[in-house]
Amino acid sequence: MRRRLSPFAPPLAALALLSATLLGPAPALAKTEIHFWHAMTGQLGEAVTELAKQFNQSQGEYEVKPLRKGSYPETLTAAIAAYRQKSHPHIVQVFEVGTQTMLLSGAVHPVYQLMKEQEIPVDWKGFIAPVVGYYSKDGNLYSMPFNSSTPIFYYNKDAFQKAGLDPNKPPVTWTQVEEYSRKIIKAGAAKCGFSTGWPSWTMVENMHAWHDQPFATKRNGFDGLDVELLINKEFGVKHIGQLAAWQKEGVYSYGGRAGAADPKFVNGDCSMYIQSSALIGGFTRGVNFQWGTAPLPHWGAPYKKATSIIGGATLWVLKGKPAAENRGTAQFLKFIADTPQQMWWHVNTGYLAISNTAVKNLEEGYHFVRNPNQYTAFAQLTGLPPTLPPALRGGKPAPVKPERVATPNSQGLRLGNFVQIRDVIEAEMENIFAGKKSAKQGLDDAVAKSNQMLKEFAAANKQ
Amino acid sequence: MKRTVFRSRWLPYALVLPQVAVTIVFFFWPALKSLQLSVYRVSPFGDRSTFIGLENFRTLLADPEYYQSVLNSFVFAAGVTGLSVLAALVAAGLATQKIRGLSVYRTLLLWPYGIAPAVAGIIFLFIFHPAYGVLPYFLSFVTAYEFNWLLKGWVAMTLVIVATAWTHLGYNIAFYLAGLLAVPASVLEAADVDGAGPVRRFTAITFPLVSPITFYLIVLNMVFAFFESFGVIDAVTKGGPGHATEIMVFKLYKDGFIGLNLGSSGAQSVILMAMVIVLTMLQFRYAEKKVTYR
């Protein structure tokens, strides 16, 4: 959004500044400031600023000041450095892989406790279970879910049409993904079949959850610190080995880490893509062909089906602030958890709405009928059928029985040193895809290295 | 050399004080801090730290990935130094010829140095990226060869070497230009009269005369490649594919600032520091003998 400045704006601003210096701070400036460090860029960053503005206008006591501190790791590092200097913000946004680090840091003020202290009633049961579960310990919510997403399957409808495939029938199984890829390449509709973003998150973490396979011991790390990875078992080796074989033939085309492969889908090189649901908004504006979304492909029997895992980030409250300021922090968190803000956030950013009331209101407002891609992500995470059931098509939604359920394997991952572990896994995936190592060898190496990091983390956090 | 005599006993100390203060604050203090960190296991928020002796070093030295990063650093530093010093000598040699528009040409040669390493990295990305780069796009019209450094380690390494060398080219050229212009024309003309060709003139006169500059540039580029090449790697490959372009300083950053393993990161910086000190000492001890100072 671009605002046009009036020609009088600069002199007016100068005048305002002058009067401010001459007259001293106006009484309106005496609000208690709540500092909020985040990592959102572009349109998402604007949405954060807007959300803070809405809160600041809704009451007169507190002023939330959002500040972007760089990427997720940079924001976390900055917050830690500030915490050690005792100049930390009240709220910091931390990505999901930093959860275990934050939980054990001794530096956080758990959200459930904050709300209890401030006597602000929040119905935690009213939030979507898989999101709350990821960030809870012993049933208590530690950080406020903020931007939640999950990987989904995107496909190029134009390329499907060109290859003689039905653009309204996306592949359901991995076997179909291979078959369709070959047809698409043969017809010259695209150079490669499919690509992936965030390789470890989409292809290892979520594929294990999606097929109800354990990623690590101790219920994926939720039950203790002495954890070991399990990704070098039959399923992991099969899936990654298959990707490596497809890489050689162009069925799969590895495009780098994080969002580096996005251009492969956007410029039409690959006709299918697995990436975060948070890209729905960006693709809606930036892609100039017909595209659709579908649930992640599945290998079929004998593997079971479960839900996918969320990604994204949550808001952590840091310790060491006066109670009066904590009250403002609590009110802000309550504000963003409320239904109107949840709906606004979801519609404007594409991140999932996480309160059941917000979801119900969205359904009643025919939101999912108009935005089927948003439904894909929501359904995948909650286990609802992949196509919008008539009962949820608006008006008065009726409850629908989920097709799949969250299991201990799909509730999320809680690992220390997870940022480095992801890096280890992705480096080994690259070695495997480049043909330097077999899938078994690469995954064995990744597991050995990760286990050592998990051990170090356990040692560093032993009380 | 002329000796400067100060009237006041304290003035000389006062004059070097700012420099010493800067060195202490920005070099000695952080160096001591990393030395201290390297023998501790520190929790990310720094609230718990345990003295563990040489455990961090032991873990590092048992880790094949660390050796890979050491090897990568040497390949990278040798590549960057060789390429940027050699290319600078050639370019500076050409820029001392009598040609039209010489000053414009010289100015243009110095420009790349004004570009921040991270920006240079982004420029190279836009040229070479397999998915959106200009070069692979045009290559795809003439050959089926895929310029895919996202999976080919050696291609990625070549790419970051070229990009880093390019960012440092202008600096080297500036030094060589000054050196080459200081070579006395009379000596060269005398050699010319004696029948020495351009190659002989260069190897027998010019090159020995600029050898102190070459030596200085090799030391400096080496240190630069080891320590300050972070920006290009971070922008282009982030150490990948696999660990193919993960040089020591990048691994140190990644383990310390992304992985929050401050102890290991401290140990790595101690090793890196020791290595560069030894390397520079060796260079001064052996290579300097071959240098002719005037």
Side-chain angles (χ1 to χ4, degrees):
Chain A
M1 201 174 64
R2 224 165 257 242
R3 246 173 264 120
R4 201 174 278 240
L5 276 177
S6 99
F8 302 108
L12 279 180
L15 200 67
L17 203 70
L18 191 70
S19 58
T21 25
L22 288 178
L23 304 172
L29 290 175
K31 286 183 182 181
T32 307
E33 287 185 3
I34 304 295
H35 295 274
F36 167 27
W37 288 4
H38 67 90
M40 305 267 87
T41 52
Q43 196 223 356
L44 299 173
E46 283 168 27
V48 173
T49 312
E50 180 60 33
L51 203 57
K53 208 171 102 192
Q54 288 175 15
F55 174 73
N56 294 340
Q57 288 168 353
S58 73
Q59 43 75 50
E61 241 179 301
Y62 305 101
E63 168 126 2
V64 168
K65 297 206 147 178
L67 180 63
R68 195 184 102 79
K69 291 300 273 189
S71 64
Y72 281 136
E74 281 163 1
T75 305
L76 179 56
T77 314
I80 288 175
Y83 184 80
R84 295 170 81 160
Q85 310 280 332
K86 301 264 171 275
S87 60
H88 51 281
H90 301 76
I91 306 171
V92 59
Q93 183 192 23
V94 178
F95 54 169
E96 90 278 28
V97 284
T99 303
Q100 181 73 304
T101 302
M102 295 302 288
L103 278 176
L104 298 176
S105 69
V108 302
H109 200 132
V111 165
Y112 82 93
Q113 206 179 317
L114 175 76
M115 294 304 191
K116 216 191 292 174
E117 283 164 15
Q118 300 295 340
E119 293 171 342
I120 297 177
V122 182
D123 176 22
W124 302 119
K125 296 268 176 310
F127 291 96
I128 297 173
V131 180
V132 173
Y134 201 112
Y135 304 106
S136 291
K137 196 173 153 188
D138 307 323
N140 292 318
L141 190 69
Y142 270 62
S143 63
M144 193 68 199
F146 186 53
N147 52 321
S148 310
S149 59
T150 197
I152 54 171
F153 182 86
Y154 295 86
Y155 67 105
N156 181 333
K157 289 189 172 176
D158 290 359
F160 267 52
Q161 202 129 36
K162 208 172 160 197
L165 296 162
D166 185 346
N168 292 317
K169 285 216 174 91
V172 176
T173 65
W174 280 107
T175 322
Q176 282 173 331
V177 171
E178 176 182 11
E179 184 195 322
Y180 289 14
S181 292
R182 292 191 195 282
K183 278 191 187 149
I184 285 163
I185 297 168
K186 206 166 163 208
K191 276 198 270 181
C192 50
F194 71 100
S195 190
T196 51
W198 293 95
S200 169
W201 184 54
T202 60
M203 289 294 99
V204 185
E205 295 161 37
N206 266 289
M207 274 302 127
H208 277 78
W210 193 234
H211 292 82
D212 198 15
Q213 301 287 318
F215 183 90
T217 56
K218 297 254 164 175
R219 288 205 310 139
N220 285 348
F222 274 77
D223 282 353
L225 284 180
D226 51 335
V227 190
E228 294 195 334
L229 292 200
L230 295 169
I231 57 171
N232 57 345
K233 302 293 178 233
E234 188 267 343
F235 175 76
V237 173
K238 174 198 162 92
H239 183 64
I240 300 300
Q242 187 62 66
L243 288 178
W246 286 339
Q247 167 76 31
K248 275 196 205 131
E249 299 176 80
V251 168
Y252 173 57
S253 177
Y254 179 75
R257 303 180 191 185
D262 293 355
K264 280 189 186 262
F265 180 70
V266 176
N267 67 20
D269 278 358
C270 295
S271 55
M272 295 174 261
Y273 192 40
I274 293 173
Q275 174 63 302
S276 165
S277 59
L279 266 81
I280 292 171
F283 284 175
T284 305
R285 282 185 305 274
V287 170
N288 50 11
F289 51 77
Q290 294 291 312
W291 55 277
T293 56
L296 296 170
H298 194 278
W299 277 107
Y303 306 108
K304 282 189 271 180
K305 290 178 177 179
T307 53
S308 61
I309 311 182
I310 58 160
T314 55
L315 305 185
W316 291 83
V317 179
L318 295 174
K319 265 187 189 166
K321 296 287 180 188
E325 293 176 17
N326 282 341
R327 175 142 194 89
T329 305
Q331 285 187 2
F332 177 62
L333 294 184
K334 165 80 173 133
F335 177 80
I336 59 173
D338 279 347
T339 307
Q341 281 70 251
Q342 279 292 316
M343 290 170 65
W344 182 88
W345 178 248
H346 167 74
V347 171
N348 282 280
T349 63
Y351 284 115
L352 296 158
I354 52 145
S355 84
N356 290 328
T357 332
V359 170
K360 199 165 146 268
N361 286 1
L362 288 166
E363 282 162 356
E364 284 172 0
Y366 303 93
H367 173 73
F368 289 137
V369 180
R370 267 175 267 142
N371 301 282
N373 296 323
Q374 302 282 15
Y375 177 75
T376 305
F378 177 70
Q380 198 179 268
L381 203 61
T382 48
L384 290 173
T387 44
L388 193 61
L392 294 181
R393 294 230 165 130
K396 278 266 160 274
V400 174
K401 196 178 170 293
E403 275 188 352
R404 24 177 124 214
V405 287
T407 69
N409 293 326
S410 75
Q411 67 183 346
L413 304 164
R414 182 160 297 166
L415 305 172
N417 281 337
F418 198 4
V419 185
Q420 285 155 297
I421 287 173
R422 228 182 221 177
D423 184 67
V424 165
I425 293 173
E426 291 182 343
E428 291 302 342
M429 286 171 89
E430 286 171 347
N431 287 335
I432 294 167
F433 296 155
K436 272 204 242 162
K437 287 182 185 174
S438 69
K440 176 75 182 146
Q441 183 63 51
L443 291 173
D444 280 350
D445 291 352
V447 168
K449 182 97 216 260
S450 304
N451 287 350
Q452 195 199 327
M453 289 176 167
L454 287 165
K455 228 178 249 157
E456 275 167 31
F457 186 85
N461 285 283
K462 206 162 45 192
Q463 303 293 341
Chain B
M1 211 188 272
K2 198 180 144 212
R3 246 187 116 92
T4 315
V5 181
F6 288 95
R7 295 256 168 96
S8 156
R9 267 182 73 186
W10 300 109
L11 185 61
Y13 296 103
L15 288 176
V16 295
L17 187 70
Q19 176 63 36
V20 173
V22 166
T23 315
I24 288 173
V25 172
F26 291 103
F27 180 73
F28 284 102
W29 190 73
L32 283 174
K33 199 82 189 154
S34 4
L35 205 60
Q36 184 203 350
L37 268 180
S38 71
V39 289
Y40 280 89
R41 179 187 282 132
V42 193
S43 71
F45 277 77
D47 53 337
R48 276 157 290 161
S49 53
T50 332
F51 179 80
I52 50 165
L54 296 178
E55 184 65 33
N56 284 327
F57 291 94
R58 225 170 284 142
T59 318
L60 268 183
L61 296 179
D63 180 5
E65 253 166 44
Y66 187 63
Y67 291 103
Q68 165 93 47
S69 82
V70 175
L71 182 70
N72 287 344
S73 290
F74 276 96
V75 171
F76 179 77
V80 170
T81 308
L83 189 63
S84 68
V85 172
L86 204 68
L89 184 57
V90 172
L94 293 175
T96 48
Q97 308 300 310
K98 292 188 180 66
I99 46 171
R100 224 206 285 216
L102 192 59
S103 58
V104 177
Y105 183 52
R106 279 181 190 164
T107 312
L108 288 179
L109 278 175
L110 300 183
W111 264 9
Y113 190 60
I115 295 173
V119 177
I122 300 292
I123 294 174
F124 270 74
L125 265 189
F126 279 121
I127 301 175
F128 292 102
H129 197 279
Y132 52 82
V134 183
L135 191 80
Y137 178 72
F138 285 118
L139 267 184
S140 69
F141 291 116
V142 287
T143 163
Y145 177 77
E146 230 191 304
F147 190 81
N148 192 356
W149 47 267
L150 289 175
L151 284 176
K152 290 192 188 112
W154 68 270
V155 183
M157 184 54 114
T158 314
L159 186 66
V160 288
I161 287 178
V162 172
T164 313
W166 181 72
T167 60
H168 221 219
L169 201 59
Y171 182 85
N172 296 350
I173 289 176
F175 273 84
Y176 269 134
L177 264 181
L180 290 177
L181 290 174
V183 173
S186 55
V187 183
L188 288 173
E189 275 159 20
D192 196 13
V193 172
D194 289 342
V199 176
R200 180 102 175 93
R201 278 197 309 252
F202 179 79
T203 52
I205 299 168
T206 314
F207 190 69
L209 285 178
V210 294
S211 64
I213 292 171
T214 308
F215 173 66
Y216 167 77
L217 287 179
I218 286 176
V219 174
L220 212 84
N221 279 271
M222 204 83 179
V223 173
F224 167 81
F226 266 101
F227 277 125
E228 276 153 60
S229 42
F230 170 80
V232 172
I233 304 249
D234 189 46
V236 181
T237 63
K238 296 221 181 328
H243 296 281
T245 56
E246 194 171 278
I247 60 171
M248 290 165 81
V249 71
F250 190 77
K251 184 174 166 57
L252 186 161
Y253 156 79
K254 219 174 62 179
D255 289 351
F257 292 94
I258 296 181
L260 301 173
N261 188 346
L262 298 175
S264 170
S265 183
Q268 289 178 43
S269 65
V270 169
I271 295 178
L272 181 61
M273 202 155 45
M275 222 140 119
V276 174
I277 291 173
V278 170
L279 215 68
T280 316
M281 268 163 53
L282 282 179
Q283 277 171 335
F284 270 100
R285 186 135 171 65
Y286 295 105
E288 203 181 18
K289 287 187 182 150
K290 298 201 171 64
V291 171
T292 335
Y293 286 105
R294 265 173 280 171

